[in-house]
Amino acid sequence: MQLSKTPLISMEWLREVPLTYDWILLYAFGLTALVQLFYYWFFFSRLAFKKPRKPYDSTPPVTVIICAKNEYLNLEENLPAFLEQDYPDYEVLVINDGSDDDTELLLHEYKGRFPRLRVVQLQKNVNFFSGKKFPLAIGIKEARHNMLLLTDADCRPDSPHWIASMVSGFDPATEIVLGYGPYRKSKGLLNQLIRYDSFFIALQYLSYALAGQAYMGVGRNLAYRREVFYRVKGFTSHYKVASGDDDLFVNQAATPRNVRIEVRPEAHTLSLPKETLGKWFHQKRRHMTTGKYYRPKFKFLLGLFSLSQALFYLLFIIILACCFFSTIALIAAAIFALRMISMLIIFFRAGKKLNQSRLSLYSPLFDIMMLALNLIFSFSALFYYNNRWK
């Protein structure tokens, strides 16, 4: 019996595949779109379509830690809201890091009014590294309770049930709970961009956490057990980096099973955004200096998304410029529309979860604007060094 030498699958179709430059552009554009759709539907959809989870019914004693340096006005406005939470057993520990305004006098006054308040005074020039990590480490050491809830002086809890909501995210296997800290809404394009940037960053780190790949949290709203801090030796591996008390710590301490998220509106904190583009630029540039210390897999995942996002828009513009009114342009437009529709669906549903649904409607415009701004921020961060947090 003679076997046929004809292959089961003919390869003649390969000869018919167009290989002109315009088709090569289309193939490259389609590949970048596939990468983008993978991120949207594999990662970001986890937050967008997350079903409510029954809170864990436990009220352990909690220490809320706030580091403050020259924060008189912010503490005057926000601290009472932390001291009047509806929670049975907690303390608010403020670390005054050598402030030279009237912060110390204000805290002394509040101690007489609020029995839950404790204050640790650090003398000026004690913090040799001039970063937030030293006062925060002191606060963690001085905390009376094992359950730690971290926030900033310019933050305000969005409800009197903030502590209860964040703590309800802990079950016996959970060691870290990632919260959400949006910025307060005001008029102007800059405010919208800052709030959108915060929303998208949260969409990323919360979705990755749901996928068992937690890589960061934000110090405006973060909770963890004290033993985790000591197990990873605190901030010693990145002590000389001004930022990173939140994202680098989570990047180091998180495992696929010890992190949960809490995104109910009652668990949010509200922060004051920067008032000028220059101040926001400085803040973003400082935050971006920590990315190079992430674990390699997270640098790859985050870098691949940003690269595919930039190439997606760039290739689409090139295709329109070179192949306008052609079949290739129509196919590219269909691919572009598919990605944009996916983004709108996921961003809107995630926006509802994070109480930012109206802001998410502007995502197609802000997606492009933030891409350009982040390229500028990232390039500037390459030449930036600052070891101060205030």
Side-chain angles (χ1 to χ4, degrees):
M1 179 177 178
Q2 186 175 3
L3 295 177
S4 172
K5 296 182 180 180
T6 304
L8 294 177
I9 301 177
S10 175
M11 303 302 288
E12 289 295 324
W13 64 274
L14 285 174
R15 300 176 185 176
E16 300 175 3
V17 175
L19 289 177
T20 56
Y21 78 92
D22 47 355
W23 281 98
I24 292 174
L25 284 174
L26 182 62
Y27 298 148
F29 177 66
L31 179 60
T32 61
L34 282 175
V35 174
Q36 286 280 287
L37 290 171
F38 169 78
Y39 278 89
Y40 280 111
W41 290 106
F42 182 79
F43 284 114
F44 305 155
S45 64
R46 294 173 186 267
L47 177 63
F49 297 95
K50 181 181 182 296
K51 295 181 179 179
R53 187 173 181 179
K54 184 179 179 181
Y56 190 69
D57 187 16
S58 179
T59 55
V62 174
T63 295
V64 177
I65 302 178
I66 302 173
C67 296
K69 187 176 182 67
N70 297 329
E71 295 280 9
Y72 175 88
L73 294 177
N74 285 326
L75 289 171
E76 183 182 40
E77 179 181 358
N78 300 322
L79 191 54
F82 290 108
L83 294 163
E84 296 172 341
Q85 287 285 297
D86 183 10
Y87 195 79
D89 187 5
Y90 77 98
E91 63 171 351
V92 176
L93 181 61
V94 178
I95 314 301
N96 183 19
D97 184 21
S99 299
D100 50 22
D101 61 0
D102 291 331
T103 295
E104 186 173 355
L105 295 176
L106 177 70
L107 293 174
H108 180 75
E109 175 193 341
Y110 277 7
K111 282 180 67 177
R113 292 170 49 191
F114 300 100
R116 295 186 185 277
L117 176 62
R118 288 178 60 218
V119 179
V120 173
Q121 299 283 353
L122 298 182
Q123 298 301 316
K124 199 170 184 179
N125 300 324
V126 170
N127 186 357
F128 300 106
F129 289 95
S130 300
K132 182 181 176 182
K133 292 171 185 175
F134 179 77
L136 181 54
I138 294 296
I140 291 171
K141 180 181 177 181
E142 293 294 324
R144 290 174 176 167
H145 307 305
N146 178 59
M147 190 72 71
L148 308 175
L149 188 46
L150 280 55
T151 188
D152 290 334
D154 62 349
C155 296
R156 184 183 184 88
D158 206 16
S159 84
H161 308 291
W162 170 66
I163 295 178
S165 299
M166 285 295 292
V167 172
S168 70
F170 284 94
D171 60 24
T174 303
E175 296 180 317
I176 303 170
V177 172
L178 309 179
Y180 177 49
Y183 287 102
R184 298 183 192 179
K185 182 180 180 180
S186 62
K187 295 181 180 179
L189 177 61
L190 178 62
N191 177 266
Q192 289 183 313
L193 283 172
I194 292 174
R195 290 191 297 116
Y196 176 82
D197 181 54
S198 175
F199 161 71
F200 180 68
I201 291 172
L203 174 63
Q204 283 189 303
Y205 75 76
L206 294 171
S207 297
Y208 276 61
L210 290 172
Q213 300 294 328
Y215 71 93
M216 69 162 284
V218 292
R220 302 188 300 272
N221 199 3
L222 176 64
Y224 50 82
R225 303 181 192 271
R226 180 159 48 186
E227 60 261 27
V228 182
F229 182 80
Y230 289 125
R231 187 174 69 235
V232 300
K233 298 181 174 57
F235 307 127
T236 53
S237 64
H238 47 88
Y239 206 84
K240 294 185 179 181
V241 184
S243 298
D245 55 278
D246 44 16
D247 60 342
L248 292 184
F249 174 78
V250 173
N251 199 267
Q252 181 181 16
T255 71
R257 296 180 179 83
N258 73 342
V259 179
R260 287 182 63 180
I261 72 170
E262 182 51 66
V263 297
R264 289 177 295 164
E266 297 84 4
H268 294 179
T269 58
L270 291 173
S271 304
L272 287 172
K274 300 300 181 183
E275 305 89 359
T276 66
L277 181 61
K279 291 181 179 179
W280 184 45
F281 180 83
H282 175 78
Q283 180 189 51
K284 288 288 294 180
R285 184 172 56 175
R286 177 168 57 85
H287 288 170
M288 284 187 169
T289 59
T290 62
K292 61 184 178 182
Y293 299 100
Y294 286 2
R295 282 187 272 175
K297 69 174 180 179
F298 296 124
K299 287 194 287 187
F300 172 78
L301 286 171
L302 295 171
L304 180 61
F305 176 80
S306 297
L307 178 62
S308 64
Q309 181 189 30
L311 289 176
F312 176 82
Y313 287 113
L314 178 62
L315 290 171
F316 184 65
I317 293 172
I318 293 174
I319 289 173
L320 290 185
C322 298
C323 314
F324 201 59
F325 289 125
S326 68
T327 302
I328 290 176
L330 291 176
I331 297 174
I335 295 173
F336 186 89
L338 176 62
R339 188 263 191 185
M340 285 299 183
I341 292 171
S342 296
M343 182 175 67
L344 280 169
I345 292 172
I346 290 174
F347 276 35
F348 181 74
R349 290 188 62 94
K352 291 181 68 175
K353 293 280 195 311
L354 301 180
N355 204 22
Q356 301 288 335
S357 55
R358 185 171 182 179
L359 183 67
S360 66
L361 294 176
Y362 301 99
S363 55
L365 173 62
F366 290 155
D367 188 54
I368 300 173
M369 295 178 68
M370 284 308 307
L371 172 62
L373 287 171
N374 282 326
L375 288 173
I376 297 173
F377 296 148
S378 299
F379 181 77
S380 177
L382 296 174
F383 309 96
Y384 176 78
Y385 177 80
N386 181 19
N387 206 34
R388 304 188 66 86
W389 70 290
K390 287 288 181 182

